[in-house]
Structures are given as C-alpha cells and as structure tokens.
Amino acid sequence: MLKLRPFHLIILVITAFFLLFSFSGQASIKDREEKKPDMITIDLGPDFGKNEMAEVTFLHDLHSLALDQQCLSCHDQKKEAFDFSFIPADQQPSMESYHDKCIACHVEKKAANIPSGPMAEQCGACHQRNPSMVSSRTNLRFDKSLHYVHVDSAKIKGKGAEDKENCSACHHRYNSDQKELVYTKDEEESCAYCHGAEEKILENKGRVKNIRQASHQSCVACHQEIKTQNGAAGPISCGGCHDSREQEAMALARSKKNMDIPRLKRGQPDQVLLTPWEKEIKDPAPLMPAVAFDHKFHEDQTLTCKSCHHESLKKCSDCHTPGGGEENGGFISLADAMHSPRAEQSCIGCHQQETTAVECAGCHARMPDTVQKDPASCKVCHTLAPEDYQKGQDLALAAAEAVALRSQKTPRDLAEKIPETVVIEDLSQEYEPSQFPHGKVVRALMEKTEKSALARAFHRDPSGLCMGCHHNSPASLEPPKCGSCHDKNGPGSDKISGKPGLKGAFHGQCITCHQEMKVTQVPATDCVKCHELKK
C-alpha cells in the first residue's frame, strides 16, 4: 500500500481546492467572505480584451507549501539572488509564459502520479470571473521595534568593514558615477523613497524595482538564506508579513522582548531650531520667533521616522521652502507643512490627532479642525526671538538651551479660584435645578492634563481649560455664563446664525463631553443623574 507523505497530503488539498471550483461556480459565490493574505491576481492588462478569459486568482502560500517552499521551482536565481518576479523583468508577460510554467508543472506532477493542479483543458478552474476569495493583504508597518530586531540581529551582516552596525545590509543608494549601489553612513533613507508603487525605467534603461519587488527580493531572500543556514529567520510566506493577525502577534512578541528600544543612529540632532532663517531669508527680524524643537523627545512619541519625514528622511526645509516652490515638497510651503491640520506629518496635524484621545476629546471634539490663529497657542512653540538666536549663531546650542528652560509645570491653583458647585436653574420649570460639580470636573481635567506632555505644553495658561466649555469667548478665568450667549427660550432669532438655545447648548456640551470621554459614572442618556425630577 502506498504510504502518503506530508507533501502528498498538501497536493491532495490543492487538488480538492481546484476541483471544488471547477465543478461549482455557485460554491465560489457562497464563500465570498473568505479572505486570503496571499491572494495574487494575475491580469495581463488591457491588451487582452473583455472577451478573453477572466483574470487568475492565485494563492501563493498554497503553492509554496505544495512545493516545499522551494522558491527555485517558480523563480529564477541570478548571482545567488532570487528574482521573485514570476516573469523576469526583461521579458514581456504573456499567456504562453504563464501556461508554460504553471500547466507544465501540473502535468509533471500528474505524470508522476502526484495529485496536481488543473490541466490545460480546465480553463475555468483558474480563470474565474467570480472568485470565492478576496485579498486581506495588509501592508507591513516596519516600525521602530521591527527595525531594531533587524539592527540587533547577529545573523545580518553589513557589506563593509566601515559599517560597524549592519545598516548597509539593507540601506543603499545608486551612485550614478560609480554606476552601482553604495551605502553612505547617516544618509539612510526609507526604501519607499526610491522604490515607488510602480517600477521605474531610467534614462539609461536601468530599472528601479517597485517597493513590492524590492522588499521581496531583499527581505524574503535574506530570510530564506538565514533559514537555509538552520537559523531562526523572519517569515518567507505572504501571510507571515501581510496577515494582520500575524502582524499583531509579532508586535506583541516584540513588545514583551524589547521593552526599551534604543534610539536610532542616523546622526539626527537632539534638539534643533526650526526657522527659515539662513535658508532663503537673510534678515530674521520679520520672522516669527523660532521653534526650539525637541527632536529626541518626539522620537519617542512616533512609531517611525516617516511619521514626520515622509519617505526621504530629509530635513523639512530641504523640501519645503518659505515660498513653497519646490516640486519635491509638493509645492507646499514650510509654514503650511508645519501647520496643516489635515496632514499627518505636520506638527499641528499630529497634535490634532492626539486630541482625539478619550482624555482630550471631551473638549476638543466640538472644536473646529481648522487652524485657529490663537496667539497663545503660537507662543507655545514659537519662543525664541530672532534677535536672540541671531546673536549666538550656534542654532543647535540655542535650541538645546531653549528646550532646557522650557517649563513642564502647569498652574495648580486654578481649582482654588473657581466655584465648587454651580447651580443651573435656567431649566427649573421642567426639572429641579442641576447641581453641577464644577470644581470636581475641573480637577479631573487638570489630572488628565498632567499626564500628557502635549497637554501640559498647551495648557500652561489655566484659562485654556476653561475654554473647553466656555467657548467662543476671550480666554479668561472668569468667562461669561452660558446664558450670556444662549437664549433660555430657544434659538429664537439666532436660528440664522446657528447658535443653539440654552437647553441645546448645555446638552450639546455636556452630553458630547460625556460621550467622547466615555464617562460611565454619569451616562449621557441618564437625565435624572443631572436633573432630579420635579417634586
């Protein structure tokens, strides 16, 4: 009796998979929810019209397992490096090229009496107009913890004696004079800076691989090589990197193993003075005070360098100039790059995203997301006057000194100056007056503020906390009462301006705050928690 080996069992699974599809197009529609991280769609492009066969849904990991993860079964190897393109870049993809490889392999397996994939006459088994699966491929986020795993690995070797770490194993750039890839210390870039979404053809006919090809050829080949040497290596399957569940599991494992991730070494400053002075503007006098930016502190607040530096990791002012006329900066000025509220990489955009946290959202959720020209907010960052840094000339030292002098303390005496309880009786015709625990609410907000460096920085002026509720009035420790602006009889003539009546204003502020801050002790829908029933 023939004894089945694991390899044979895998082939049987593949055969069952294809047979199911070949005999039942209906079954594929029923299972549409099936998601696969290794799903690849093979489409030869617009040269093949609608009357041609449907595109092919190909499961890479399924085939990789069936072939015992022998990459050479499908991919070429040149100069000891795999070319993970199925069709080499110097060849034109065609139906024949796929059929020659795929069907030939199936035929070979069948001839060897090994269960195989579909034959040439079973077109519909591969070409399906209604495939049963959808791709669940998730882009891999190469964050600082994953980067450190690679930096710390003794199995990854640099490509030169001068590279004491192993940065050159992955980082390189093309030197047009030497016509080869070289590594330059402290000039490492993100892979995506050169390797875009599409393959690039250079004037000299050279090719720059797209990010998918480049990362597979670099990462998978390295993992494969280490694995061959019987070492523990990173994933070589699609799901290993592109399955969201696998990503979460690996991130959790890293967080337990590497609790203290060392700072990246790229020659970056600890503190830096952000000002366009000396870039294009020789006289700093008309400029806003410079920002003493604590680069080292912000490194700990972000997952990757790309959180601020996009893909290039260059200085902001290298691409964004005061006039905004640089193509590589997207024609976005330096000021807009720093202040755009909707750009993830901008200072204000990042800060606004932080205000969506539960601790902050009670006040910030109803605030407009456009930049408010609030002089108090500007002064939080723009602290160093032009005449001060112009005298010293050493901008790095000026930045370090300004950061060191920055106070991290917030006023603690606010709670002592405010009323402990505010009786709201404007709506007492319907309910008993509401006993609003004003002091308790303010102290709770102050405690949350103390826990956030960002909140501490922007709430040094205690009146800022008051503005969370007492909005649209000048910042003050004695702001006007709600009834000063909102009519207790309803919107009235303010329907035109959109200003709500007093009842709407109370509920809009209070209920929204409770919902956004997930206040469970006083649910937003429990009326009698705030309004006792009329006796």
Side-chain angles (χ1 to χ4, degrees), residues 33-46:
E33 296 301 320
E34 190 174 8
K35 298 178 180 178
K36 295 287 185 179
D38 63 325
M39 183 177 135
I40 296 173
T41 300
I42 302 174
D43 183 6
L44 297 184

Side-chain angles (χ1 to χ4, degrees), residues 400-415:
E401 291 176 345
V403 169
L405 291 173
R406 189 174 293 163
S407 172
Q408 289 295 317
K409 296 181 179 179
T410 53
R412 300 290 299 175
D413 58 349
L414 172 63

Side-chain angles (χ1 to χ4, degrees), residues 193-209:
Y193 183 55
C194 294
H195 301 283
E198 302 294 336
E199 186 181 55
K200 190 188 305 179
I201 308 298
L202 303 177
E203 292 182 357
N204 62 3
K205 307 300 180 185
R207 294 174 180 269
V208 180
K209 294 181 173 62

Side-chain angles (χ1 to χ4, degrees), residues 320-324 331-343 345-349 371:
H320 300 289
T321 57
F331 302 105
I332 297 173
S333 71
L334 185 60
D336 286 341
M338 299 289 184
H339 297 101
S340 172
R342 295 183 179 85
Q345 288 85 2
S346 85
C347 304
I348 288 183
V371 176

Side-chain angles (χ1 to χ4, degrees), residues 37 80 118 147 174 229 248 265 317 412 425 469 491 499 502:
E80 300 181 352
H147 185 271
Y174 182 70
Q229 298 168 357
E248 291 173 4
K265 300 175 182 177
S317 58
R412 300 290 299 175
E425 52 188 354
C469 294
K499 186 188 296 182
L502 188 56

Side-chain angles (χ1 to χ4, degrees), residues 279-300:
K279 181 71 177 179
E280 292 182 1
I281 303 170
K282 299 303 179 186
D283 179 12
L287 300 175
M288 284 282 290
V291 175
F293 181 72
D294 194 342
H295 194 283
K296 185 177 181 181
F297 170 81
H298 282 78
E299 288 176 26
D300 287 337

